Amino acid sequence: MITFPEDVTSLIQALNARGHEAYAVGGCVRDSLLGIEPNDWDLTTGASPKEIAECFQSERISDIGFVHGTITVYKNGIPYEITAYRKDGEYTDHRRPDRVEFVKELSLDLARRDFTINAMACHPETGIVDLFSGLDDLKNGVIRTVGDPEKRFREDSLRILRAIRFASAYGFVLEENTRKSAIRLADSVNIVSPERILIEIKRMLTGKGIESVLTQYSEIIFSVFPELSPMRDFPQNTPHHAYDVWTHTAKAVSGAPNDEISRLTMLFHDSGKPHMHTVDAMGVSHFRGHPAVSVQIAEKALARLKCDKNTLNRVLKLVSEHEIRIPAERKSVRREMARLGKDVFSSLLPLLRADFSGQNPAMHPQKYAYADQLEAQYHQAISEGAVTDIHDLDINGNDLKAAGLRGSEIGLVLHALFALVLSEEIENRKSALMSRVEEIRKNISQPGH
Ligand code: CTP
């Protein structure tokens, strides 16, 4: 049985007291049954939109969704959408019904919903209403449309993406007919607005079932990102790899930290490989220069989906730098931290492990040992307060100005001191740094410097 928040129970009771049926419905029922705290609680009721508004006239409400039958009631600052039982009309645009009809039967409202796991209602006293075996599907980990999948996906193409997003989020599979129809109609997802597609893709990428979603439903992913399709079955004949590029990608995405940027980075990190493939005299595959091509692919694909600039730039930076190949030694790690910035370097470390997780399992011990050493060097640098940025120096431009330096000399001397500190030729102490200023200044003012 579901635990209802007090405010939700009181909203339902208020409607019941006026003789209207009312239930929690959809995502909140599904998530509660899965033991996940719902994002929000939506209610469905036999009351008409006008009757809902009347019932809550002493509360703060919004009727912005009135034509769709929705009144939003605020309780303790939290919005609750209460929607009149609805039957959807024709869907000529494959996205939204041309018109909606308010009805008196809960069964009709549940029948218009996308998947059986989303078509359950629940009342705090009388319990679950499950007309389409949503409970069984929830128990068995199955995404199944309510009614004919072909018809339901044709009505609203977003449902195809929702199907694989739910499969990924909960580690579920698509019921066979639902799967076949979703794949057959995969191209129609591009009817959906780019922003909405990207929301679904990000939610899908951060799901626990992402590895099998990427491999089992790749046709749907490739209809959103056709530029990723050359990765499928693309062989990698090298001792580092045991899988084709797409299977590797699916594993690497799944092994990455569970945030949108890391997961998007791993989705695209090797997308340039099929375009940069060469084979040496021994028959071994090489993919030199692929990160730069992956960056171009990611940029085009994410810009098409109207990805925000911050996310885009961060993903492109991480894709371009994903191949860390430095020796796992003190100086090289510090130099790399200085080149990339601490923040980028530290974000790359778990991505490197994710990349390794999709490589040849026989190589895992040595690869993870390398990642461990890099990480240990990184943590040591951090704990020692290592200088990895010019601003970390114990002197600044004002100190040099006070010492009589002028104009471009100041920047040049600071950079020279930074290089000396990075290579551990001098200590990052003001007195030590100042003692070298004159000599550096003379060197850089030599003609020909
Ligand atoms: N719904 C639908 N078809 C859609 C979108 C939504 O039938 N294309 C129905 C489902 O019953 C769904 C409910 O509307 O449960 C609420 O939709 P929404 O809030 O978008 O999603 P949730 O299922 O609640 O899940 P989440 O919050 O995780 O997106």
Side-chain angles (χ1 to χ4, degrees):
M1 189 52 186
I2 288 178
T3 312
F4 278 72
E6 259 174 49
D7 286 343
V8 176
T9 306
S10 85
L11 290 169
I12 291 175
Q13 282 169 347
L15 285 158
N16 291 165
R18 290 188 168 229
H20 306 301
E21 290 181 7
Y23 298 86
V25 72
C28 59
V29 177
R30 176 198 70 222
D31 284 346
S32 298
L33 290 166
L34 286 169
I36 300 168
E37 173 139 16
N39 291 328
D40 46 28
W41 288 78
D42 295 333
L43 303 188
T44 188
T45 176
S48 70
K50 194 163 155 275
E51 286 167 334
I52 304 171
E54 278 164 9
C55 186
F56 298 106
Q57 56 192 341
S58 57
E59 308 274 350
R60 182 183 154 210
I61 65 169
S62 157
D63 62 1
I64 199 162
F66 192 87
V67 285
H68 307 291
T70 304
I71 301 290
T72 304
V73 180
Y74 291 83
K75 278 257 169 205
N76 295 311
I78 300 173
Y80 295 95
E81 289 192 352
I82 306 180
T83 305
Y85 293 162
R86 243 172 59 183
K87 207 172 123 188
D88 294 340
E90 288 291 299
Y91 285 70
T92 40
D93 68 352
H94 304 291
R95 187 57 197 92
R96 284 176 216 289
D98 301 343
R99 53 182 192 84
V100 296
E101 188 187 325
F102 303 119
V103 293
K104 286 290 164 204
E105 297 83 24
L106 173 65
S107 58
L108 294 175
D109 185 84
L110 295 180
R112 75 170 168 92
R113 295 174 183 272
D114 51 4
F115 305 111
T116 61
I117 61 166
N118 290 342
M120 289 181 278
C122 188
H123 188 278
E125 279 144 38
T126 55
I128 306 272
V129 180
D130 175 23
L131 307 179
F132 303 100
S133 304
L135 274 173
D136 283 344
D137 285 341
L138 210 53
K139 216 179 296 151
N140 298 325
V142 173
I143 307 292
R144 183 195 313 267
T145 53
V146 173
D148 176 24
E150 188 96 7
K151 175 169 176 283
R152 305 314 309 281
F153 288 140
R154 278 192 197 282
E155 282 172 354
D156 178 0
S157 306
L158 174 65
R159 290 179 180 149
I160 297 173
L161 291 175
R162 280 172 60 88
I164 58 170
R165 184 253 286 182
F166 288 123
S168 179
Y170 307 132
F172 284 12
V173 294
L174 271 55
E175 172 275 328
E176 193 48 20
N177 287 324
T178 301
R179 184 187 73 82
K180 283 189 186 144
S181 298
I183 290 175
R184 198 173 319 119
L185 297 172
D187 281 346
S188 66
V189 298
N190 292 303
I191 293 169
V192 179
S193 75
E195 294 86 349
R196 192 61 219 249
I197 293 178
L198 188 57
I199 290 172
E200 292 297 329
I201 292 287
K202 285 173 171 177
R203 294 183 74 175
M204 179 197 79
L205 286 173
T206 49
K208 64 181 178 191
I210 187 59
E211 181 180 343
S212 54
V213 164
L214 290 175
T215 53
Q216 302 300 303
Y217 312 114
S218 56
E219 290 89 344
I220 301 170
I221 313 294
F222 298 151
S223 69
V224 174
F225 297 124
E227 47 276 271
L228 300 186
S229 69
M231 286 197 272
R232 182 171 50 189
D233 299 329
F234 199 97
Q236 310 195 77
N237 187 20
T238 115
H240 297 284
H241 283 280
Y243 313 105
D244 67 85
V245 181
W246 184 243
T247 308
H248 159 76
T249 295
K251 290 179 185 297
V253 169
S254 164
N258 195 7
D259 63 83
E260 294 169 3
I261 288 185
S262 298
R263 299 255 163 137
L264 281 168
T265 299
M266 296 322 282
L267 181 67
F268 287 101
H269 78 293
D270 276 353
S271 56
K273 273 189 167 179
H275 307 278
M276 300 304 278
H277 182 225
T278 56
V279 181
D280 68 19
M282 311 290 286
V284 175
S285 295
H286 297 279
F287 301 95
R288 292 195 187 96
H290 77 271
V293 181
S294 303
V295 167
Q296 288 171 13
I297 291 172
E299 183 167 21
K300 209 168 142 221
L302 291 173
R304 190 171 66 235
L305 295 189
K306 310 255 189 312
C307 181
D308 69 278
K309 280 273 173 291
N310 284 344
T311 304
L312 179 66
N313 290 338
R314 184 76 177 176
V315 168
L316 297 185
K317 180 74 185 166
L318 295 172
V319 169
S320 97
E321 300 289 351
H322 79 265
E323 274 205 316
I324 299 183
R325 291 285 181 272
I326 55 166
E329 291 159 5
R330 181 184 167 90
K331 276 190 198 170
S332 352
V333 168
R334 290 171 193 222
R335 219 175 283 127
E336 192 72 348
M337 287 167 67
R339 185 179 74 81
L340 294 168
K342 279 194 277 256
D343 172 42
V344 170
F345 187 87
S346 68
S347 299
L348 284 170
L349 289 173
L351 299 185
L352 187 69
R353 283 183 192 280
D355 203 357
F356 292 160
S357 74
Q359 297 183 0
N360 185 354
M363 307 279 273
H364 281 174
Q366 104 193 42
K367 299 247 168 172
Y368 289 135
Y370 170 68
D372 287 344
Q373 286 160 15
L374 278 182
E375 210 162 299
Q377 287 295 350
Y378 167 79
H379 287 303
Q380 194 181 344
I382 295 292
S383 69
E384 288 175 6
V387 171
T388 55
D389 188 293
I390 201 158
H391 298 105
D392 297 339
L393 288 178
D394 199 23
I395 59 170
N396 59 31
N398 287 335
D399 298 316
L400 295 183
K401 226 185 242 173
L405 275 70
R406 290 290 168 263
S408 63
E409 264 183 355
I410 295 176
L412 290 169
V413 170
L414 273 179
H415 276 96
L417 288 170
F418 179 48
L420 289 171
V421 172
L422 258 187
S423 58
E424 302 193 321
E425 286 168 57
I426 48 173
E427 254 185 280
N428 184 29
R429 248 185 326 106
K430 193 165 187 167
S431 57
L433 295 166
M434 288 308 284
S435 73
R436 299 290 290 273
V437 167
E438 198 44 33
E439 167 204 343
I440 297 171
R441 193 187 65 79
K442 271 196 198 128
N443 279 341
I444 60 178
S445 59
Q446 297 285 318
H449 177 86

